[in-house]
Amino acid sequence: MISKEPETPQFTAEQIRELTNIVFLEEKQPSPCDILFVFAGTHSGHWEKAIQAYNKGLGNKLIVTGGYNSKMNLYESREIISHLVEAGISEKDIIFEDKSSNTLENVLFAKEVFNFETINKVLFICKSYAAGSQYRTLLQHLPRHLEFINYSFDAKFNGITVARDNWHSSEIGRKRVWGQYLRIIEYGRKGDLQPLKRRIEGL
């Protein structure tokens, strides 16, 4: 089990650049997609970004993922859906699964409720520092012809925002990003997500 906030080494400027592109992904202009894929979570960004994407016309169908969260005593997908509906999105435009407990299961259980062979382009919504691992999970388990576009939001920890342009300037940012990189390495080795072609030199 890799800690969410492991102790970090010192990073060079080049290592920071590579970590940023791997963990946050390279920035890409969003464009209309066939489906909006909402990764599970209880952060308001999950539904706020989904509502924003829907209202911008970036997708008119949503897949919402997330099973039971015992700490919060709720089903994450149902919590997200309640906010989507409250914002005026019709339930007929929402597909969901409520069995998953992690990123891999978000994707695998979504495959049980939706046929991804029928579409070409997916906009996925998640925390920005998780985008790299979640993108690679989609790549590993969904049809190869699909194009994936990241539409993420920045999360705060104890009032500190962790974003692609500032993560390296705070201890919590360095730990969160380093932990994500280590998970990409480990889960790539296990086959849960598409592995990196090469590790960052010196790390």
Side-chain angles (χ1 to χ4, degrees), residues 25 35-39 63 65 103-111 114 116 119 121-126 130-151 191-195:
L25 298 182
I35 201 86
L36 306 179
F37 189 107
V38 186
F39 275 99
I63 297 175
T65 66
T103 294
L104 175 60
E105 290 182 356
N106 291 166
V107 177
L108 295 181
F109 289 136
K111 288 173 66 176
F114 184 76
F116 288 91
I119 61 170
K121 207 173 190 181
V122 177
L123 190 84
F124 67 97
I125 294 162
C126 62
S133 62
Q134 297 187 324
Y135 168 68
R136 290 179 173 278
T137 306
L138 292 166
L139 277 180
Q140 184 78 345
H141 298 284
L142 295 187
R144 294 187 181 277
H145 74 275
L146 289 174
E147 178 184 356
F148 300 102
I149 297 177
N150 166 36
Y151 198 66
D192 291 352
L193 52 75
Q194 186 180 85

Side-chain angles (χ1 to χ4, degrees), residues 168-187:
H168 48 85
S169 63
S170 68
E171 182 180 9
I172 187 65
R174 291 191 298 274
K175 286 183 174 183
R176 286 278 168 165
V177 168
W178 180 237
Q180 281 294 323
Y181 176 72
L182 295 178
R183 278 190 286 281
I184 288 172
I185 297 296
E186 173 63 16
Y187 297 152

Side-chain angles (χ1 to χ4, degrees), residues 54 60-64 77-78 80-96:
Y54 185 90
N60 55 21
K61 293 284 184 183
L62 303 96
I63 297 175
V64 180
S77 58
R78 298 178 192 177
I80 293 168
I81 290 168
S82 70
H83 291 282
L84 300 181
V85 172
E86 186 179 339
I89 297 175
S90 173
E91 289 188 55
K92 68 179 179 59
D93 292 332
I94 302 170
I95 302 159
F96 74 98

Side-chain angles (χ1 to χ4, degrees), residues 14-41:
E14 176 59 22
Q15 288 169 341
I16 287 172
R17 187 191 69 79
E18 290 194 67
L19 280 166
T20 301
N21 286 336
I22 290 169
V23 172
F24 290 87
L25 298 182
E26 293 186 37
E27 292 183 292
K28 183 186 277 190
Q29 187 67 26
S31 58
C33 294
D34 301 303
I35 201 86
L36 306 179
F37 189 107
V38 186
F39 275 99

